[in-house]
């Protein structure tokens, strides 16, 4: 008996359903241009280089923080009400402690998987800040903050600042002896602010230190306010990355008018998803085998006790070091006492640091005279002063981080703590200057070596003997790709009065008004800074035709370029 075939009515029904779906999608797209937006996102090209993944490490660390933070929030009690502990950890049974500390102990010892999630959360927080710092450093050293990405640079610096606040708030929530010592230092910093310091302290702590409200006030800041701001700024940052053309390293086929790399879907999505799962697995492994922040060893916080060898997380360590290096100096004026130690080191120093970070893109643009867009990354060696400034700042941070552990270093290596303090004080002043000079000279030496490669070629390791018996090494010319990577770069020269910058008309300041003299002073300052920044340059071994092609390659879509050597 033959097997009956499919009913013929099924095809029209399926066709009708498809038609309904198509009409519905067209109607939705007419009101919301989803298809056009999705098409643009799918076709977005991302450069295929490891240095561009640092931002994704920060993004995926933030995702892990959100997931683990939600789990921990289900069991944490942000209360400073005192209670006696009767939980699983025997050494602390019967000890009076806050509800915040007791609930953190319960998460660690009584909640299934609680300690693992806690430690993953802490490791993810450290990686989040480290990835943001590394990403900012990459953007700084390669000049990826230049027009049209100044706003994205400001967003990134704000993300880093908010992340520091978020890390400190989360670090302080358990109300253990270590975090309580950090809060005591924070209260001293608040009190150092002239005139309003006392009011700031009373507002934060709800009265006399330590008060009963600091943990309950830090809790919404840590789980709602700052995460919401971070999520909003990360969204803005990603939207700007998609809206603006991505930066890329110079190379064959790459210019300021195109992007060479992988399409967003499916290649880049697959690569990025692999990075996320790898990151999550590594954080889970760290949370399982690497103990971090064992609060049960510190005990609950008491205002009359200080934790021995208290060390904050690395991202706050530079503030701790600055506090330890600054001498205890105070001034009394009009009935007010100014404590210079916490004021200078913990208020003015971070203020100057972040003000410089916010202003730097506009400062470099001002002394460069570059009005156009820049889409090719600079090699750090091609910007000696910028690179030297970055390494000098890192060396300063390293000295302060060591100073934050001076007591432990003195104990571990049997050193005089006073001698170590004075050594670090001198190092704080000398090391950044020495690193700046050394990095600048190293960048110029690398440029000089590349100039020799361009003119003489690369040594092959072979030696030829001349007819007269002499010996000379054999060289080969660089391959086109290597030569292109060296030549395809901007070489701005210092600004001069002939460049037509603001203030050039009245630069002498003679016989002018005070406004003219002020403009002349600003113009001379601009020329001096530009000369300091771009004064050291290696000769450029390229013909006029090669220079023209390089200018076309490195210029952005608008074709504008800074003044360069002819």
């Amino acid at each position: 008996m033959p097997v009956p075939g499919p009913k013929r009515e099924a095809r029209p029904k399926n066709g009708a359903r498809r038609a309904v779906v198509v009409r519905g999608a067209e109607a939705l797209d007419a009101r919301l241009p989803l298809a056009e937006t999705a098409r643009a996102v799918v076709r977005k090209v991302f450069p295929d280089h490891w240095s561009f993944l640092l931002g994704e490490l920060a993004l995926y660390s933030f995702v892990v923080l959100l997931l683990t933070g939600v789990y921990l929030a289900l069991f944490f009690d942000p209360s400073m009400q005192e209670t006696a502990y009767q939980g699983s950890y025997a050494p602390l049974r019967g000890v009076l402690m806050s509800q915040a500390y007791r609930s953190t102990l319960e998460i660690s010892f009584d909640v299934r998987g609680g300690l693992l999630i806690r430690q993953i959360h802490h490791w993810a927080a450290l990686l989040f800040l480290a990835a943001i710092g590394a990403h900012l450093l990459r953007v700084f050293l390669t000049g990826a903050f230049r027009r049209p990405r100044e706003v994205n640079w400001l967003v990134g610096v704000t993300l880093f600042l908010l992340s520091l606040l978020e890390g400190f708030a989360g670090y302080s929530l358990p109300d253990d002896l270590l975090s309580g010592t950090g809060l005591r230092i924070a209260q001293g910093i608040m009190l150092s602010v002239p005139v309003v310091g006392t009011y700031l302290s009373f507002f934060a702590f709800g009265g006399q230190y330590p008060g009963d409200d600091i943990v309950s006030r830090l809790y919404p800041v840590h789980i709602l306010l700052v995460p919401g701001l971070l999520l909003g700024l990360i969204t803005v940052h990603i939207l700007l990355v998609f809206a603006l053309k991505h930066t890329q390293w110079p190379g064959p086929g790459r210019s300021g008018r195109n992007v060479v790399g992988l399409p967003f879907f499916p290649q880049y999505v697959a690569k990025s998803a692999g990075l996320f799962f790898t990151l999550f697995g590594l954080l889970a492994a760290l949370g399982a085998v690497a103990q971090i922040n064992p609060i049960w060893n510190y005990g609950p916080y008491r205002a009359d006790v200080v934790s021995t060898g208290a060390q904050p997380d690395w991202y706050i360590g530079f503030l701790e070091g600055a506090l330890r290096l600054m001498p205890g100096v105070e001034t009394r004026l009009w009935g007010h006492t100014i404590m210079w130690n916490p004021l200078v080191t913990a208020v003015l120093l971070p203020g100057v640091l972040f003000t410089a970070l916010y202003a730097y893109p506009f400062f470099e643009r001002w002394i460069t005279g570059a009005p156009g867009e820049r889409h090719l990354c600079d090699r750090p060696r091609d910007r000696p002063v910028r690179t030297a400034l970055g390494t000098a700042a890192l060396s300063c941070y390293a000295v302060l981080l060591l100073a934050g552990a001076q007591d432990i270093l003195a104990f571990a290596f049997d050193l005089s703590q006073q001698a170590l303090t004075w050594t670090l004080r001198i190092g704080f002043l000398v090391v950044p200057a020495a690193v700046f000079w050394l990095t600048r000279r190293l960048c110029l030496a690398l440029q000089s070596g590349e100039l020799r490669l361009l003119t003489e070629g690369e040594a092959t390791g072979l030696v030829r003997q001349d007819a007269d018996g002499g010996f000379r090494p054999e060289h080969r010319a660089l391959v086109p790709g290597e030569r292109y990577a060296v030549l395809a770069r901007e070489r701005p020269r210092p600004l001069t009065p002939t460049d037509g910058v603001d203030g050039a008309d009245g630069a002498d300041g003679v016989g002018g008004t005070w406004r003219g003299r002020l403009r002349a002073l600003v113009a001379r300052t601009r020329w001096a800074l530009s000369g300091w920044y771009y004064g050291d340059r290696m000769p450029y071994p390229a013909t006029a035709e090669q220079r023209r092609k390089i200018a076309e390659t490195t210029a952005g879509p608008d074709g504008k370029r800074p003044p360069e050597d002819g």
Side-chain angles (χ1 to χ4, degrees):
M1 182 177 181
V3 179
K7 294 183 178 180
R8 296 181 178 273
E9 294 80 4
R11 291 181 180 177
K13 288 182 179 180
N14 291 339
R17 290 170 184 167
R18 283 196 296 269
V20 170
V21 172
V22 170
R23 286 197 300 270
E26 291 176 348
L28 183 62
D29 186 61
R31 291 160 178 80
L32 297 172
L34 299 178
E36 182 179 352
T37 303
R39 191 179 301 113
V41 170
V42 168
R43 292 178 179 177
K44 176 73 175 176
V45 176
F46 287 83
D48 186 22
H49 193 272
W50 67 266
S51 62
F52 297 108
L53 297 178
L54 294 172
E56 293 192 29
L57 287 178
L59 173 63
Y60 295 146
S61 300
F62 183 69
V63 173
V64 175
L65 282 171
L66 291 180
L67 296 175
T68 54
V70 169
Y71 183 84
L72 295 175
L74 299 175
F75 306 99
F76 182 72
D77 183 5
S79 171
M80 297 185 71
Q81 180 180 354
E82 200 169 51
T83 183
Y85 179 70
Q86 300 296 336
S88 301
Y89 189 64
L92 289 178
R93 285 178 187 164
V95 176
L96 293 178
M97 59 185 64
S98 64
Q99 290 279 59
Y101 186 70
R102 183 189 61 80
S103 63
T104 309
L105 288 177
E106 290 177 350
I107 291 173
S108 302
F109 295 108
D110 300 319
V111 175
R112 187 179 297 274
L115 181 59
L116 175 64
I117 299 299
R118 235 191 98 231
Q119 298 201 144
I120 292 176
H121 189 77
H122 203 125
W123 280 114
L126 297 182
L127 181 60
F128 178 57
L129 278 152
I132 292 179
H135 181 59
L136 282 175
L137 186 62
R138 196 276 300 175
V139 171
F140 177 81
L141 293 177
T142 61
F145 53 79
R146 294 172 296 178
R147 185 178 179 184
R149 298 174 184 84
E150 300 96 334
V151 173
N152 230 5
W153 169 261
L154 301 180
V155 170
V157 174
T158 306
L159 279 170
F160 187 59
L161 181 59
L162 288 175
S163 300
L164 293 177
L165 175 61
E166 175 75 348
F168 178 76
Y171 175 83
S172 304
L173 285 181
D175 197 33
D176 60 296
L177 189 56
L178 183 62
S179 65
T181 303
L183 282 174
R184 183 58 165 169
I185 295 174
Q187 193 242 1
I189 294 171
M190 295 177 193
L191 291 176
S192 71
V193 180
V195 183
V196 298
T198 305
Y199 301 100
L200 290 175
S201 175
F202 268 66
F203 173 78
F205 291 90
Q208 291 285 351
Y209 179 85
D212 297 322
D213 301 326
I214 184 62
V215 171
S216 59
R217 293 183 178 184
L218 285 176
Y219 186 65
V221 170
H222 180 68
I223 70 166
L224 290 177
L225 178 60
V226 179
L229 293 174
L230 287 173
L231 185 60
L233 288 176
I234 289 173
T235 303
V236 171
H237 184 76
I238 294 175
L239 290 176
L240 288 175
V241 169
F242 272 89
L244 304 173
K245 198 161 75 71
H246 209 293
T247 58
Q248 60 183 343
W249 291 101
R254 301 172 186 173
S255 70
R257 295 177 175 84
N258 67 359
V259 180
V260 178
L262 301 175
F264 178 72
F265 184 84
Q267 287 91 336
Y268 197 81
V269 169
K271 183 177 180 179
S272 186
L275 178 64
F276 169 72
F277 289 113
T278 301
L279 175 69
F280 191 87
L282 289 175
L283 288 175
L286 282 174
V289 302
Q291 186 181 78
I292 190 169
N293 196 24
I295 61 164
W296 50 89
N297 288 339
Y298 310 136
Y301 178 65
R302 287 177 47 187
D304 60 334
V305 178
V306 176
S307 177
T308 303
Q311 299 296 314
D313 283 333
W314 67 268
Y315 51 87
I316 303 293
F318 77 99
L319 285 180
E320 176 85 7
L323 287 168
R324 296 189 182 196
L325 292 187
M326 179 75 181
V329 181
E330 65 180 47
T331 302
R332 294 182 179 273
L333 292 174
W334 303 296
H336 296 280
T337 301
I338 301 177
M339 299 294 298
W340 293 108
N341 183 321
L343 179 64
V344 171
T345 57
V347 179
L348 299 181
L349 179 63
V352 170
L353 170 64
F354 280 95
T355 299
L357 289 175
Y358 279 117
Y360 185 83
F362 309 99
F363 164 77
E364 185 170 310
R365 182 180 174 186
W366 182 61
I367 64 171
T368 307
E373 297 182 1
R374 295 293 173 270
H375 299 289
L376 288 180
C377 293
D378 292 329
R379 296 185 308 165
R381 69 182 65 181
D382 295 332
R383 294 291 186 269
V385 174
R386 182 205 293 159
T387 304
L389 287 173
T391 55
L394 286 178
S395 66
C396 181
Y397 168 82
V399 171
L400 292 179
L401 192 62
L402 289 174
Q406 59 169 345
D407 53 344
I408 295 179
L409 292 175
F411 175 79
F413 296 99
D414 195 19
L415 301 173
S416 168
Q417 187 168 344
Q418 185 176 6
L420 182 60
T421 299
W422 275 103
T423 301
L424 292 171
R425 284 174 178 172
I426 296 172
F428 176 74
L429 301 175
V430 174
V431 170
V435 169
F436 177 90
W437 178 85
L438 181 62
T439 303
R440 187 161 161 265
R441 299 306 303 174
L442 180 60
C443 290
L444 294 174
L446 291 173
Q447 291 185 34
S448 178
E450 288 182 339
L451 173 62
R452 191 161 52 250
L453 288 176
L454 289 172
T455 55
E456 301 177 4
E458 185 179 14
T460 62
L462 300 178
V463 177
R464 289 186 178 273
Q465 185 177 11
D466 297 332
D468 57 358
F471 294 91
R472 62 181 179 84
E474 186 178 88
H475 294 79
R476 67 168 181 85
L478 294 179
V479 298
E482 295 174 345
R483 188 176 182 84
Y484 184 94
V486 175
L487 288 177
R489 52 176 173 161
E490 289 183 349
R491 292 181 53 83
R493 61 170 172 79
L495 295 176
T496 63
T498 60
D499 294 320
V501 298
D502 293 341
D505 297 335
D508 54 3
V510 178
T513 62
W514 67 269
R515 292 182 180 177
R517 289 192 292 270
L518 179 60
R519 291 185 62 204
L521 176 62
V522 171
R524 286 195 292 268
T525 302
R526 186 181 185 185
W527 298 331
L529 288 173
S530 184
W532 167 70
Y533 209 88
Y534 295 113
D536 294 323
R537 304 184 310 284
M538 291 293 141
Y540 207 139
T543 64
E545 178 62 19
Q546 288 175 329
R547 293 177 188 274
R548 184 187 65 79
K549 291 182 178 180
I550 292 170
E552 293 177 355
T553 299
T554 57
D558 51 14
K560 297 179 180 179
R561 294 172 54 80
E564 291 197 355
D565 294 325

